[in-house]
């Protein structure tokens, strides 16, 4: 049994990954290892922030670790908001402000193509691995649906006509960028646990 | 660049996996390597059949290879049709006969829980790896939806109210057992290509 830290405070997310890993790994959260301080995400890329968090845990606490960072990348905006997804309209603004700014910037643009991209950085047995999962889609012209979080009311995944917020949590969880990245992580770990 | 055989005759499936692998692997089909004979699936498990096909290609043609086998496992039927999914009603019967038999066997059962399970067997650098992807769901009480293949008109994936046939190809492809197994394969290969 390997112990692996998921650099998150979301206990539920850690249990979920532990379950998918099928008994070969114990997955701990930051709180579980006594890391209560906030790890500042200061890098200019998703990859950089994911690595920064994983390295912090490895260096300061000594555990093998993985960490994720997710961004919304809009084609007509050159990949923005990207690494600034959570703070697009400013540090103290709420999701509504982020969505309003995004819709305003897309006015008159000929393409509304966008993708959610999750990057996972894994540090295991002294080696760093970067993985990603992508969900292609487009930005709706206005907010639709009550469910969801962040940009969910304006993101329509490819192959669907409804937004993530309308589709609901379980559909979103099944098709999302995060799900793909997590399945890839499972593959990498099953390979590494084997070495 | 590694060359890898996908033990299938479906050129489209091979291109799709090659694309997901992102340029590190060239994926060939059975036809591409001149394997025109049928590989008989004689094992009693999905794992056995997937391994059998991959070993056949490795031994006879010398290529690293992966192979998949998929089955529908119905809880109230002790996991049947499982390895016999494609020939549940008999070797020469069509999907309608399989579905009719399944619905008949489920009459009066208290649970209709079922799952699709894809097993991938990979032979790479002299080592065998088994991977799986599961899509949980239930069997509908009758056929619904015109699209799809095999049992798609009677399989309702978890979190949805529609059958795979009603949901359509792109939704099915995104949430399916096969998609999960493929993402795990990508993870394993990215790890092995790195060794």
């Amino acid at each position: 049994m390997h112990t692996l830290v998921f650099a998150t405070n979301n206990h539920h997310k850690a249990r979920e990954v532990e379950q998918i890993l099928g008994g070969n790994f114990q997955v701990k959260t930051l709180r579980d290892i006594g890391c209560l301080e906030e790890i500042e995400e200061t890098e200019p890329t998703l990859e950089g922030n994911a690595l920064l968090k994983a390295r912090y845990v490895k260096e300061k606490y000594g555990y093998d670790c993985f960490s994720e960072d997710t961004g919304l990348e809009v084609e007509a905006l050159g990949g923005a908001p990207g690494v600034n997804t959570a703070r697009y309209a400013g540090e103290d603004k709420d999701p509504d402000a982020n969505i309003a700014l995004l819709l305003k910037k897309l006015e008159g643009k000929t393409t509304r193509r966008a993708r959610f991209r999750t990057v996972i950085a894994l540090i295991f047995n002294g080696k760093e691995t970067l993985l990603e999962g992508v969900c292609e889609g487009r930005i709706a012209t206005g907010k639709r649906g009550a469910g969801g979080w962040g940009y969910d009311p304006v993101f329509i995944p490819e192959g669907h006509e409804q937004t993530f917020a309308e589709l609901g949590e379980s559909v979103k969880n099944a098709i999302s960028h995060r799900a793909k990245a997590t399945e890839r992580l499972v593959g990498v770990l099953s390979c590494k646990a084997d070495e």
Side-chain angles (χ1 to χ4, degrees), chain A:
Chain A
M1 175 82 92
H2 300 259
T3 295
L4 199 57
V5 173
F6 186 176
T8 178
N9 284 311
N10 188 325
H11 185 75
H12 174 72
K13 274 162 87 174
R15 282 298 76 71
E16 197 180 283
V17 174
E18 189 176 75
Q19 206 179 350
I20 297 176
L21 288 170
N24 297 315
F25 292 87
Q26 182 183 32
V27 178
K28 299 191 172 201
T29 63
L30 292 173
R31 188 175 319 239
D32 291 336
I33 60 166
C35 173
L36 303 176
E37 65 274 24
E38 190 167 353
I39 307 170
E40 269 197 88
E41 305 188 6
T42 53
E43 292 291 321
T45 61
L46 298 175
E47 283 79 0
N49 279 332
L51 271 173
L52 174 155
K53 285 183 281 180
R55 286 177 184 157
Y56 181 92
V57 169
K58 180 69 191 176
E59 283 159 23
K60 183 146 181 211
Y61 295 89
Y63 287 99
D64 279 348
C65 179
F66 66 96
S67 159
E68 61 166 51
D69 205 22
T70 294
L72 175 67
E73 301 177 335
V74 181
E75 187 176 304
L77 306 178
V83 75
N84 296 311
T85 293
R87 48 178 182 253
Y88 194 32
E91 283 294 346
D92 305 320
K93 297 295 181 9
D94 67 4
D96 280 349
N98 288 332
I99 289 176
L101 178 61
L102 177 65
L103 293 178
K104 192 163 177 330
K105 292 217 179 192
L106 278 176
E107 276 171 20
K109 300 287 187 194
T110 51
T111 171
R112 304 183 74 88
R113 279 182 59 86
R115 59 182 198 168
F116 269 113
R117 192 164 70 93
T118 290
V119 172
I120 292 180
L122 169 71
I123 300 182
F124 194 82
N125 282 349
K127 211 161 155 187
E128 293 180 348
T129 307
L130 281 169
L131 294 153
E132 68 169 18
V134 169
C135 182
E136 301 283 351
R138 65 184 200 274
I139 304 298
T141 50
K143 286 170 65 175
R144 295 192 335 231
W149 180 92
Y151 297 80
D152 287 357
V154 293
F155 186 81
I156 303 169
E158 211 167 74
H160 291 262
E161 292 305 320
Q162 294 178 293
T163 64
F164 265 159
E166 291 173 303
L167 288 167
E169 193 79 11
S170 70
V171 175
K172 183 190 165 187
N173 285 347
I175 66 176
S176 78
H177 40 294
R178 202 169 264 124
K180 285 183 200 164
T182 303
E183 295 297 341
R184 290 186 186 188
L185 174 69
V186 171
V188 168
L189 285 173
S190 72
C191 166
K192 290 195 181 289
D194 228 39
E195 277 170 9

